[in-house]
């Protein structure tokens, strides 16, 4: 009789730790329940003081192999850490559509972005006493043309042992065409993977988690599609948390975070992992 197949271990990563106290609390709750095994931290966020960092580290100690990464943030309504960063919209980063267009038009300065990303990496190292386990990007900015060059330079210099997030899926073409948003990430990720590999940086082998956050989607059903076929070491992005006034002032993703948290904390998600022979441990 054949032994049962070993479960696939995947990464389930909550983005945006540091954006608000409510989001932080929701992420820590899921880590402590064993329902997340990674989170990425915004060092330019509104809720990233010593107490929030200590609380995250305490939560991570309760969960085996929980990774803490840097969520490089380069888009509005957040502000840069470097004094001479450009381009800006007032005193904030540009919106992500404008930033992506500028990168596609080759109007950005690789060195300015390298310096800002290096400063965010240094802020993480001071706060946590070590480099990040991995590095990703808010609104996938690490994948944008020109920015990806500065991103890879900065990570290679400051955190060469960290892996970096790419957003390409490991799916047949027919399934990839069904989601235009995810298809854009597939295209942007192709060059990112190539350049990261040339720099000696590891990447996640596959990615899932992109969907239209503006619609009242069934997150449990979506999680089933995200996990299906995801290889060992693949990554699912999520955005759980609790809504508070700080979050409402910074991000349009509000109630959807509470829906994600409720599903990930519930019995349905535990059943999905077991039925899919997937583990976060």
């Amino acid at each position: 009789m054949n032994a049962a197949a070993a479960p696939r271990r995947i990464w389930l990563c909550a983005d945006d730790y540091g954006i608000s106290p409510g989001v932080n609390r929701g992420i820590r709750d899921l880590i402590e329940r064993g329902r997340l095994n990674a989170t990425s931290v915004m060092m330019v966020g509104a809720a990233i003081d010593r107490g929030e960092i200590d609380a995250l580290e305490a939560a991570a100690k309760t969960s085996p192999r929980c990774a803490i990464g840097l969520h490089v943030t380069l888009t509005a309504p957040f502000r840069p850490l470097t004094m001479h960063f450009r381009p800006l919209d007032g005193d904030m980063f540009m919106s992500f559509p404008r930033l992506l267009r500028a990168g596609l038009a080759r109007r950005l300065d690789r060195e300015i972005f390298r310096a800002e990303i290096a400063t965010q990496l240094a802020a993480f190292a001071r706060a946590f006493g070590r480099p990040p386990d991995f590095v990703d990007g808010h609104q996938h900015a690490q994948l944008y043309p020109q920015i990806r060059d500065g991103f890879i330079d900065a990570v290679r210099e400051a955190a060469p042992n960290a892996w970096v997030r790419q957003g390409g899926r490991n799916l047949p073409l027919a399934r990839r065409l069904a989601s235009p948003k995810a298809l854009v990430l597939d295209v942007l990720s192709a060059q990112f993977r190539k350049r990261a590999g040339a720099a000696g940086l590891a990447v996640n082998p596959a990615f899932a988690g992109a969907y239209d956050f503006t619609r009242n989607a069934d997150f449990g059903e979506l999680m089933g599609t995200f996990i299906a076929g995801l290889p060992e070491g693949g990554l699912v992005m999520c955005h759980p948390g609790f809504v508070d006034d700080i979050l409402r002032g910074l991000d349009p993703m509000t109630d959807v975070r509470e829906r994600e948290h409720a599903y990930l904390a519930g019995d349905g998600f535990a059943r999905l992992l077991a039925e899919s022979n997937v583990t976060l441990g």
Side-chain angles (χ1 to χ4, degrees):
M1 185 175 181
N2 293 332
R8 286 175 291 142
R9 184 177 188 273
I10 66 168
W11 294 106
L12 180 57
C13 180
D15 288 2
D16 300 347
Y17 190 91
I19 194 172
S20 81
V23 169
N24 292 359
R25 184 164 51 88
I27 290 172
R28 292 195 305 266
D29 174 66
L30 292 173
I31 291 172
E32 291 165 356
R33 293 172 184 261
R35 300 299 177 86
L36 291 173
N37 59 357
T39 188
S40 51
V41 179
M42 306 175 86
M43 295 310 300
V44 302
I48 199 61
D49 59 21
R50 186 73 256 164
E52 296 286 357
I53 292 166
D54 289 345
L56 174 58
E57 291 187 306
K61 288 178 181 177
T62 70
S63 181
R65 299 176 65 189
C66 181
I68 300 176
L70 171 65
H71 199 50
V72 166
T73 305
L74 301 169
T75 53
F78 303 97
R79 294 170 174 80
L81 297 183
T82 48
M83 183 180 300
H84 301 295
F85 183 88
R86 297 291 184 277
L88 293 173
D89 185 358
D91 63 347
M92 297 188 298
F93 293 117
M94 292 196 303
S95 66
F96 84 86
R98 289 184 60 200
L99 188 64
L100 177 56
R101 288 196 297 268
L104 290 168
R106 314 295 297 180
R107 297 200 305 267
L108 302 176
D109 185 321
R110 167 181 180 160
E111 178 55 27
I112 284 176
F113 282 87
R114 186 207 63 79
E116 174 63 26
I117 295 164
T119 301
Q120 293 186 26
L121 282 160
F124 182 102
R126 286 193 302 272
F128 290 89
R130 62 175 179 83
D133 296 312
F134 64 95
V135 189
D136 58 30
H138 188 54
Q139 298 180 320
H140 311 289
Q142 82 278 16
L143 306 177
Y144 300 177
Q146 296 192 287
I147 294 173
R148 61 189 170 217
D149 300 314
F151 177 93
I152 288 167
D153 288 346
V155 175
R156 179 177 55 188
E157 292 165 7
N161 295 320
W163 51 273
V164 292
R165 183 196 290 180
Q166 64 91 25
R169 294 167 296 170
N170 184 27
L171 293 174
L173 179 61
R175 286 185 62 190
R176 287 191 280 129
L177 291 173
S179 173
K181 179 178 180 179
L183 186 61
V184 171
L185 297 181
D186 289 340
V187 172
L188 292 173
S189 293
Q191 275 295 317
F192 180 85
R193 289 194 302 272
K194 180 178 178 181
R195 296 180 189 210
L201 298 175
V203 300
N204 52 300
F207 173 86
Y211 68 99
D212 186 347
F213 303 119
T214 64
R215 295 185 179 180
N216 192 15
D218 184 331
F219 187 66
E221 182 178 332
L222 286 168
M223 279 298 298
T225 66
F226 295 155
I227 288 174
L230 198 68
E232 177 82 14
L235 181 144
V236 179
M237 167 189 72
C238 61
H239 297 83
F242 300 120
V243 176
D244 55 28
D245 288 342
I246 292 176
L247 179 65
R248 290 189 187 96
L250 290 172
D251 195 86
M253 285 185 68
T254 52
D255 294 346
V256 64
R257 294 182 189 263
E258 296 198 348
R259 291 197 296 272
E260 289 194 15
H261 178 276
Y263 175 75
L264 294 175
D267 294 340
F269 181 52
R271 285 195 300 271
L272 175 64
L273 292 175
E275 292 167 359
S276 304
N277 198 27
V278 165
T279 182
L280 307 178

